Short mmCIF file of all heavy atoms in Angstrom, two decimals:
data_model
loop_
_atom_site.label_atom_id
_atom_site.label_comp_id
_atom_site.label_asym_id
_atom_site.label_seq_id
_atom_site.Cartn_x
_atom_site.Cartn_y
_atom_site.Cartn_z
N ILE A 3 61.91 15.44 -108.43
CA ILE A 3 61.67 14.47 -109.59
C ILE A 3 60.86 13.33 -109.03
O ILE A 3 59.96 12.81 -109.76
CB ILE A 3 62.97 14.05 -110.18
CG1 ILE A 3 63.66 15.22 -110.85
CG2 ILE A 3 62.72 12.88 -111.19
CD1 ILE A 3 63.01 15.78 -112.06
N ALA A 4 61.17 12.85 -107.79
CA ALA A 4 60.45 11.67 -107.23
C ALA A 4 58.94 11.94 -107.14
O ALA A 4 58.15 11.02 -107.37
CB ALA A 4 61.02 11.34 -105.87
N THR A 5 58.61 13.17 -106.80
CA THR A 5 57.13 13.54 -106.75
C THR A 5 56.51 13.42 -108.12
O THR A 5 55.38 12.93 -108.24
CB THR A 5 56.96 14.97 -106.16
OG1 THR A 5 57.59 15.05 -104.88
CG2 THR A 5 55.52 15.30 -106.02
N GLY A 6 57.21 13.88 -109.14
CA GLY A 6 56.72 13.72 -110.50
C GLY A 6 56.54 12.38 -110.93
O GLY A 6 55.52 11.98 -111.57
N ILE A 7 57.45 11.47 -110.57
CA ILE A 7 57.39 10.02 -110.94
C ILE A 7 56.15 9.45 -110.24
O ILE A 7 55.40 8.72 -110.87
CB ILE A 7 58.66 9.30 -110.47
CG1 ILE A 7 59.88 9.77 -111.35
CG2 ILE A 7 58.49 7.76 -110.53
CD1 ILE A 7 61.30 9.24 -110.92
N ILE A 8 55.96 9.75 -108.97
CA ILE A 8 54.88 9.17 -108.25
C ILE A 8 53.51 9.68 -108.75
O ILE A 8 52.57 8.89 -108.90
CB ILE A 8 54.99 9.44 -106.76
CG1 ILE A 8 56.17 8.68 -106.13
CG2 ILE A 8 53.71 9.17 -105.90
CD1 ILE A 8 56.60 9.07 -104.78
N ASN A 9 53.42 11.01 -109.09
CA ASN A 9 52.17 11.57 -109.69
C ASN A 9 51.85 10.87 -110.93
O ASN A 9 50.70 10.65 -111.25
CB ASN A 9 52.28 13.03 -109.79
CG ASN A 9 52.27 13.79 -108.49
OD1 ASN A 9 51.82 13.28 -107.44
ND2 ASN A 9 52.76 14.98 -108.45
N ILE A 10 52.81 10.62 -111.80
CA ILE A 10 52.52 9.93 -113.10
C ILE A 10 52.09 8.52 -112.79
O ILE A 10 51.14 8.03 -113.44
CB ILE A 10 53.77 10.01 -114.05
CG1 ILE A 10 54.00 11.43 -114.49
CG2 ILE A 10 53.53 9.05 -115.22
CD1 ILE A 10 55.20 11.67 -115.35
N GLN A 11 52.73 7.84 -111.84
CA GLN A 11 52.32 6.44 -111.52
C GLN A 11 50.86 6.45 -111.03
O GLN A 11 50.04 5.57 -111.37
CB GLN A 11 53.21 5.82 -110.45
CG GLN A 11 54.51 5.36 -110.95
CD GLN A 11 55.34 4.68 -109.88
OE1 GLN A 11 55.63 5.25 -108.84
NE2 GLN A 11 55.71 3.45 -110.17
N ARG A 12 50.49 7.51 -110.26
CA ARG A 12 49.09 7.57 -109.77
C ARG A 12 48.11 7.71 -110.90
O ARG A 12 47.09 7.01 -110.92
CB ARG A 12 48.94 8.73 -108.75
CG ARG A 12 47.60 8.92 -108.15
CD ARG A 12 47.52 10.06 -107.17
NE ARG A 12 48.40 9.83 -106.06
CZ ARG A 12 49.52 10.65 -105.75
NH1 ARG A 12 49.70 11.75 -106.43
NH2 ARG A 12 50.27 10.34 -104.69
N LEU A 14 48.60 6.75 -114.04
CA LEU A 14 48.58 5.51 -114.83
C LEU A 14 47.66 4.47 -114.10
O LEU A 14 46.93 3.74 -114.79
CB LEU A 14 50.01 4.96 -115.01
CG LEU A 14 50.88 5.73 -115.96
CD1 LEU A 14 52.32 5.25 -115.94
CD2 LEU A 14 50.30 5.68 -117.43
N ARG A 20 46.15 -0.78 -112.86
CA ARG A 20 47.29 -1.65 -112.53
C ARG A 20 48.47 -0.75 -112.04
O ARG A 20 48.70 0.26 -112.51
CB ARG A 20 47.77 -2.43 -113.69
CG ARG A 20 46.77 -3.51 -114.17
CD ARG A 20 47.29 -4.26 -115.39
NE ARG A 20 48.39 -5.06 -115.16
CZ ARG A 20 49.10 -5.74 -116.07
NH1 ARG A 20 48.68 -5.70 -117.35
NH2 ARG A 20 50.15 -6.43 -115.75
N LYS A 21 49.19 -1.32 -111.07
CA LYS A 21 50.36 -0.61 -110.53
C LYS A 21 51.52 -0.68 -111.57
O LYS A 21 51.60 -1.63 -112.41
CB LYS A 21 50.79 -1.18 -109.22
CG LYS A 21 49.82 -0.91 -108.09
CD LYS A 21 50.28 -1.40 -106.77
CE LYS A 21 49.32 -1.09 -105.64
NZ LYS A 21 49.85 -1.52 -104.37
N THR A 22 52.45 0.28 -111.51
CA THR A 22 53.55 0.35 -112.37
C THR A 22 54.91 0.37 -111.64
O THR A 22 54.91 0.83 -110.51
CB THR A 22 53.48 1.50 -113.38
OG1 THR A 22 53.32 2.65 -112.59
CG2 THR A 22 52.28 1.34 -114.33
N ASP A 23 55.92 -0.11 -112.28
CA ASP A 23 57.31 0.14 -111.84
C ASP A 23 57.88 1.23 -112.61
O ASP A 23 57.62 1.30 -113.89
CB ASP A 23 58.16 -1.06 -111.97
CG ASP A 23 57.78 -2.21 -111.06
OD1 ASP A 23 57.43 -1.95 -109.94
OD2 ASP A 23 57.75 -3.39 -111.43
N ALA A 24 58.65 2.14 -112.06
CA ALA A 24 59.29 3.24 -112.80
C ALA A 24 60.77 3.02 -112.80
O ALA A 24 61.39 2.74 -111.86
CB ALA A 24 58.96 4.55 -112.15
N TYR A 25 61.38 3.20 -114.05
CA TYR A 25 62.83 3.17 -114.16
C TYR A 25 63.28 4.53 -114.62
O TYR A 25 62.98 5.01 -115.67
CB TYR A 25 63.22 2.13 -115.28
CG TYR A 25 62.80 0.68 -114.82
CD1 TYR A 25 61.54 0.17 -115.12
CD2 TYR A 25 63.76 -0.09 -114.14
CE1 TYR A 25 61.20 -1.09 -114.70
CE2 TYR A 25 63.40 -1.35 -113.71
CZ TYR A 25 62.16 -1.84 -114.05
OH TYR A 25 61.84 -3.14 -113.61
N TYR A 26 64.05 5.14 -113.74
CA TYR A 26 64.49 6.60 -113.92
C TYR A 26 65.96 6.65 -114.26
O TYR A 26 66.80 5.88 -113.70
CB TYR A 26 64.20 7.34 -112.64
CG TYR A 26 64.79 8.76 -112.67
CD1 TYR A 26 64.21 9.72 -113.49
CD2 TYR A 26 65.89 9.07 -111.94
CE1 TYR A 26 64.69 11.06 -113.50
CE2 TYR A 26 66.42 10.38 -111.94
CZ TYR A 26 65.83 11.36 -112.70
OH TYR A 26 66.34 12.57 -112.77
N SER A 27 66.28 7.50 -115.18
CA SER A 27 67.62 7.78 -115.62
C SER A 27 67.82 9.29 -115.58
O SER A 27 67.13 10.04 -116.30
CB SER A 27 67.91 7.28 -117.06
OG SER A 27 69.28 7.52 -117.44
N GLU A 28 68.75 9.73 -114.73
CA GLU A 28 68.95 11.15 -114.55
C GLU A 28 69.30 11.91 -115.89
O GLU A 28 70.20 11.40 -116.61
CB GLU A 28 70.11 11.43 -113.51
CG GLU A 28 70.30 12.90 -113.22
CD GLU A 28 71.30 13.06 -112.14
OE1 GLU A 28 71.72 12.10 -111.43
OE2 GLU A 28 71.72 14.24 -111.97
N GLY A 31 64.84 10.83 -118.14
CA GLY A 31 63.47 10.68 -117.85
C GLY A 31 63.14 9.32 -117.17
O GLY A 31 64.02 8.68 -116.61
N ALA A 32 61.94 8.85 -117.35
CA ALA A 32 61.49 7.67 -116.72
C ALA A 32 60.68 6.79 -117.71
O ALA A 32 59.95 7.31 -118.52
CB ALA A 32 60.68 7.96 -115.48
N LEU A 33 60.81 5.51 -117.56
CA LEU A 33 60.06 4.50 -118.24
C LEU A 33 59.17 3.80 -117.28
O LEU A 33 59.64 3.40 -116.19
CB LEU A 33 60.92 3.54 -119.05
CG LEU A 33 61.92 4.13 -120.09
CD1 LEU A 33 62.80 3.04 -120.64
CD2 LEU A 33 61.12 4.71 -121.23
N TYR A 34 57.92 3.52 -117.65
CA TYR A 34 57.00 2.85 -116.80
C TYR A 34 56.58 1.49 -117.41
O TYR A 34 56.28 1.44 -118.62
CB TYR A 34 55.71 3.71 -116.58
CG TYR A 34 56.00 4.96 -115.88
CD1 TYR A 34 56.47 6.17 -116.58
CD2 TYR A 34 55.88 5.08 -114.47
CE1 TYR A 34 56.78 7.32 -115.82
CE2 TYR A 34 56.16 6.27 -113.82
CZ TYR A 34 56.66 7.37 -114.53
OH TYR A 34 56.94 8.51 -113.82
N VAL A 35 56.60 0.47 -116.63
CA VAL A 35 56.03 -0.86 -116.99
C VAL A 35 55.15 -1.35 -115.96
O VAL A 35 55.24 -0.84 -114.80
CB VAL A 35 57.25 -1.87 -117.19
CG1 VAL A 35 58.18 -1.47 -118.31
CG2 VAL A 35 58.00 -2.15 -115.96
N PHE A 36 54.24 -2.24 -116.32
CA PHE A 36 53.35 -2.78 -115.24
C PHE A 36 54.23 -3.55 -114.26
O PHE A 36 55.12 -4.20 -114.60
CB PHE A 36 52.29 -3.65 -115.84
CG PHE A 36 51.20 -2.86 -116.65
CD1 PHE A 36 50.92 -3.12 -117.91
CD2 PHE A 36 50.49 -1.84 -115.98
CE1 PHE A 36 49.98 -2.44 -118.66
CE2 PHE A 36 49.55 -1.10 -116.68
CZ PHE A 36 49.30 -1.39 -117.98
N MET A 37 53.76 -3.42 -112.97
CA MET A 37 54.53 -4.06 -111.87
C MET A 37 54.74 -5.53 -112.12
O MET A 37 53.90 -6.28 -112.48
CB MET A 37 53.73 -3.89 -110.59
CG MET A 37 54.52 -4.29 -109.33
SD MET A 37 53.66 -3.89 -107.88
CE MET A 37 54.18 -2.23 -107.65
N GLY A 38 56.03 -5.92 -111.92
CA GLY A 38 56.40 -7.29 -112.13
C GLY A 38 56.90 -7.71 -113.49
O GLY A 38 57.45 -8.71 -113.72
N GLU A 39 56.59 -6.89 -114.49
CA GLU A 39 57.04 -7.09 -115.83
C GLU A 39 58.50 -6.69 -116.02
O GLU A 39 58.91 -5.72 -115.44
CB GLU A 39 56.17 -6.35 -116.82
CG GLU A 39 54.72 -6.72 -116.78
CD GLU A 39 54.42 -8.11 -117.34
OE1 GLU A 39 55.17 -8.56 -118.32
OE2 GLU A 39 53.57 -8.80 -116.83
N PRO A 40 59.21 -7.39 -116.91
CA PRO A 40 60.62 -6.97 -117.12
C PRO A 40 60.66 -5.72 -117.93
O PRO A 40 59.74 -5.39 -118.72
CB PRO A 40 61.20 -8.15 -117.90
CG PRO A 40 60.11 -8.85 -118.55
CD PRO A 40 58.87 -8.58 -117.57
N LEU A 41 61.71 -4.98 -117.77
CA LEU A 41 61.88 -3.73 -118.65
C LEU A 41 62.39 -4.06 -119.99
O LEU A 41 63.57 -4.36 -120.20
CB LEU A 41 62.89 -2.75 -117.95
CG LEU A 41 63.21 -1.47 -118.67
CD1 LEU A 41 61.94 -0.69 -118.90
CD2 LEU A 41 64.25 -0.61 -117.94
N THR A 42 61.45 -4.16 -120.95
CA THR A 42 61.75 -4.38 -122.29
C THR A 42 60.99 -3.31 -123.12
O THR A 42 59.98 -2.79 -122.57
CB THR A 42 61.32 -5.77 -122.82
OG1 THR A 42 59.93 -5.91 -122.74
CG2 THR A 42 62.03 -6.92 -121.95
N ASN A 45 57.24 -3.89 -123.23
CA ASN A 45 56.49 -3.74 -121.91
C ASN A 45 56.40 -2.34 -121.47
O ASN A 45 55.61 -2.06 -120.52
CB ASN A 45 57.15 -4.55 -120.83
CG ASN A 45 56.99 -6.07 -121.01
OD1 ASN A 45 56.11 -6.44 -121.79
ND2 ASN A 45 57.85 -6.85 -120.44
N VAL A 46 56.99 -1.33 -122.13
CA VAL A 46 56.87 0.04 -121.71
C VAL A 46 55.49 0.53 -121.97
O VAL A 46 55.07 0.56 -123.15
CB VAL A 46 57.97 0.90 -122.35
CG1 VAL A 46 57.74 2.41 -122.04
CG2 VAL A 46 59.39 0.50 -121.88
N VAL A 47 54.81 0.99 -120.91
CA VAL A 47 53.38 1.46 -121.12
C VAL A 47 53.42 3.00 -121.16
O VAL A 47 52.49 3.61 -121.64
CB VAL A 47 52.51 0.96 -120.03
CG1 VAL A 47 52.27 -0.51 -120.19
CG2 VAL A 47 52.95 1.31 -118.63
N TYR A 48 54.49 3.70 -120.66
CA TYR A 48 54.56 5.15 -120.74
C TYR A 48 56.00 5.60 -120.55
O TYR A 48 56.79 5.01 -119.83
CB TYR A 48 53.73 5.75 -119.59
CG TYR A 48 53.55 7.25 -119.75
CD1 TYR A 48 52.64 7.69 -120.68
CD2 TYR A 48 54.22 8.13 -118.97
CE1 TYR A 48 52.44 9.10 -120.88
CE2 TYR A 48 53.99 9.52 -119.11
CZ TYR A 48 53.12 9.92 -120.05
OH TYR A 48 52.98 11.31 -120.20
N ALA A 49 56.40 6.65 -121.28
CA ALA A 49 57.76 7.22 -121.14
C ALA A 49 57.57 8.69 -120.89
O ALA A 49 56.75 9.34 -121.54
CB ALA A 49 58.53 6.98 -122.45
N ALA A 50 58.29 9.19 -119.88
CA ALA A 50 58.15 10.57 -119.47
C ALA A 50 59.61 11.17 -119.50
O ALA A 50 60.55 10.64 -119.04
CB ALA A 50 57.66 10.70 -118.09
N LEU A 55 58.58 15.09 -115.99
CA LEU A 55 58.60 14.70 -114.63
C LEU A 55 58.65 16.03 -113.72
O LEU A 55 57.95 16.04 -112.67
CB LEU A 55 59.86 13.90 -114.35
CG LEU A 55 59.97 12.51 -114.97
CD1 LEU A 55 61.28 11.84 -114.75
CD2 LEU A 55 58.76 11.64 -114.48
#
Side-chain angles (χ1 to χ4, degrees):
I3 297 293
T5 303
I7 291 171
I8 292 167
N9 286 340
I10 291 174
Q11 281 184 304
R12 184 177 297 118
L14 291 170
R20 292 178 66 185
K21 292 184 179 181
T22 56
D23 291 323
Y25 295 88
Y26 172 72
S27 178
E28 187 174 347
L33 299 174
Y34 296 85
V35 299
F36 288 124
M37 188 173 277
E39 297 291 326
L41 178 59
T42 63
N45 290 339
V46 173
V47 293
Y48 192 77
L55 294 174

